[in-house]
Amino acid sequence: MRLLWVLCILWAGPASSDESAPLQGTVEVRRIDNALWRATYCFDEPIENFSFTRRIKGMRETHWRSASPGLALKYYSKGTATLLAENGSSFTCASIDIKPFTDLPDGKDYYVFTPFSDGGASLFTGHLEGLGYQNGSWRDVVFEATYQALDGERVIAAEPDELGYQFVYFGAQKVVETDEAILVIDPAMPERVRQSILATMSKTNELLPRVFGYAPKHKYLVFMAAGNLTKDNGTSIKGGTGPHQIRFTLVGRGTIRLAENEPLFYPKLAVHEVLHLWQNDVWSESLSTPHQWVHEGGADAVTYEIMRLAGIYDKETYAKTWQEVETKCVKLLAVTSVHGGVEAGQNDVLYQCGAFANYLVGAALNAADPGAGILDFWKSMAAWDRETIQLLENEELFFKTMVTLGFSVAQQQALQHFLADKLDDPATTVVEIKRIFGLPP
């Protein structure tokens, strides 16, 4: 799964930031000891406060403290926080002490800290980003970053001079390098899981040039973390992507049983995450917002085709997978619309119904082989010029591609209704929309 690596910026201040040029700043993220990090910010111009923008419930109140005399953190109920001077004056530098918050975040967010079994940890830097308030206006801040590990450790990052939205590893683990990836693998990662992920990533990278004419611009940086593998009997598996990087996080003994009971789960997860890197290379941030079904459902739909082409899915498994997608989608639509899925806490609707929407357009393009139609549709999505890709929101681009490929007005309207509206009778609606797109009931 993927919670795409750039999300909408949310903050506790005004509804929009000033159009003036961004502030410039530096931030040093230093590991003080095994249970403490310190982020030190300095700005080129004095600011009145700094608002940490990414929401995460309960983390900052319990795990963050100001390390600068005279400066304090003000916490907000929705998970944001603002750093400001107690006497209301401006400041140019400030430090925050941060304890590792390893709880599973709500919704589709990434783990903030991911422990490795050997004492290392990766940190998601997106929670350190924010906006500066100066002279009555909120301004973006562009940070130059440095990262410092403990003695005997190393820092591994895809963008070692930037803050942004990436995973940064602090620890002593050795790097493993393959033709397509640089990997930091937790020694506790089950061998079966490790091998299935590596083999599937390799097959995916072999297929992408043939299917889409695409080759990765950089080697992937891959973190496989299993520091809480034996924490309990539960099961939590998170996949996440950042710029040229993927993180797989396993928590609970159930993750081991899953590898034994569902041997295709981890290969599917690996393909899905690699496809997010492909999406980011082609569409950058534009494919991630505002409707997450486009990139999540699209990644799932293309994943099933890659799995089929790679021989990982046989004919029966492939057909069963698509039937399960439709069944799960119908069930989820009884609870929420696709557009309302995140707010309703039903993120799986983005994946299942998003994939089903892709199957519909694929079937309309190629009735004999809807999967091949899906790939043709995404080739057309990728063929748009950069201006169009950057100008249109993701769902607008999806429907513009439908128009270009000759989809009827009835098909477009049916899909818009399917995505946007809370359906009274999802099963009947799905039967009808399949008929409109040329599929048997």
Side-chain angles (χ1 to χ4, degrees), residues 40-55:
T40 299
Y41 296 86
C42 285
F43 305 90
D44 288 358
E45 305 171 37
I47 62 171
E48 297 163 51
N49 64 60
F50 182 67
S51 180
F52 296 95
T53 53
R54 196 181 184 97
R55 295 176 178 176

Side-chain angles (χ1 to χ4, degrees), residues 257-306:
R257 294 192 293 272
L258 187 63
E260 299 167 350
N261 299 333
E262 297 186 37
L264 296 180
F265 176 86
Y266 288 104
K268 188 256 185 182
L269 176 64
V271 177
H272 181 100
E273 298 304 336
V274 170
L275 288 175
H276 277 322
L277 295 186
W278 162 68
Q279 289 175 334
N280 186 62
D281 268 359
V282 176
W283 291 273
S284 188
E285 303 174 13
S286 62
L287 204 64
S288 62
T289 55
H291 298 298
Q292 296 180 38
W293 72 266
V294 177
H295 70 273
E296 295 294 9
D300 261 6
V302 177
T303 289
Y304 303 142
E305 300 314 307
I306 295 294

Side-chain angles (χ1 to χ4, degrees), residues 345-365:
Q346 299 290 330
N347 292 311
D348 198 34
V349 75
L350 309 172
Y351 297 80
Q352 306 301 336
C353 295
F356 181 68
N358 277 266
Y359 193 79
L360 292 172
V361 299
L365 291 175

Side-chain angles (χ1 to χ4, degrees), residues 37-256:
W37 273 253
R38 178 170 294 162
T40 299
Y41 296 86
C42 285
F43 305 90
D44 288 358
E45 305 171 37
I47 62 171
E48 297 163 51
N49 64 60
F50 182 67
S51 180
F52 296 95
T53 53
R54 196 181 184 97
R55 295 176 178 176
I56 182 162
K57 185 177 179 181
M59 187 254 305
R60 295 184 176 96
E61 296 92 326
T62 56
H63 287 68
W64 286 28
R65 290 293 180 269
S66 171
S68 297
L71 298 182
L73 278 167
K74 181 179 180 181
Y75 305 104
Y76 294 85
S77 60
K78 292 186 177 181
T80 57
T82 293
L83 182 67
L84 70 168
E86 294 173 340
N87 64 4
S89 62
S90 298
F91 59 92
T92 55
C93 289
S95 294
I96 300 292
D97 279 350
I98 301 170
K99 295 180 180 179
F101 181 81
T102 59
D103 292 359
L104 177 66
D106 292 336
K108 285 171 53 58
D109 207 349
Y110 301 130
Y111 278 106
V112 184
F113 280 91
T114 303
F116 282 62
S117 63
D118 59 355
S122 67
L123 164 67
F124 176 63
T125 63
H127 296 93
L128 302 178
E129 288 274 21
L131 299 173
Y133 190 74
Q134 181 191 68
N135 300 324
S137 297
W138 291 97
R139 296 176 63 182
D140 294 327
V141 186
V142 177
F143 287 109
E144 180 180 336
T146 56
Y147 301 94
Q148 296 292 328
L150 298 174
D151 289 343
E153 293 184 342
R154 60 174 61 86
V155 171
I156 301 174
E159 305 288 350
D161 300 325
E162 298 181 9
L163 189 59
Y165 296 82
Q166 64 172 325
F167 311 119
V168 179
Y169 171 82
F170 300 76
Q173 192 58 226
K174 293 182 179 179
V175 169
V176 176
E177 189 164 357
T178 67
D179 289 342
E180 58 270 329
I182 298 169
L183 304 108
V184 182
I185 304 174
D186 194 317
M189 181 65 68
E191 181 67 14
R192 189 169 188 170
V193 175
R194 183 175 79 89
Q195 290 296 342
S196 68
I197 289 175
L198 289 175
T200 309
M201 287 179 64
S202 180
K203 288 182 179 179
T204 304
N205 284 317
E206 290 175 6
L207 282 169
L208 284 175
R210 175 158 62 91
V211 174
F212 293 115
Y214 164 82
K217 296 177 182 178
H218 306 274
K219 282 193 173 185
Y220 304 147
L221 177 57
V222 181
F223 299 134
M224 297 188 191
N228 286 329
L229 193 65
T230 58
K231 182 179 180 181
D232 53 44
N233 285 318
T235 304
S236 172
I237 300 115
K238 279 272 192 179
T241 58
H244 322 305
Q245 60 187 290
I246 304 174
R247 182 175 68 179
F248 300 100
T249 303
L250 275 62
V251 176
R253 296 183 184 90
T255 58
I256 303 173

Side-chain angles (χ1 to χ4, degrees), residues 358-408:
N358 277 266
Y359 193 79
L360 292 172
V361 299
L365 291 175
N366 189 333
D369 189 352
I374 291 171
L375 298 183
D376 287 340
F377 186 87
W378 278 88
K379 289 175 189 176
S380 297
M381 281 266 286
W384 286 107
D385 59 274
R386 306 312 302 170
E387 182 179 359
T388 300
I389 285 175
Q390 295 301 319
L391 178 65
L392 298 181
E393 292 181 342
N394 53 4
E395 190 173 283
E396 290 181 291
L397 187 67
F398 193 95
F399 278 96
K400 186 176 179 66
T401 305
M402 290 180 67
V403 172
T404 301
L405 292 174
F407 283 77
S408 69

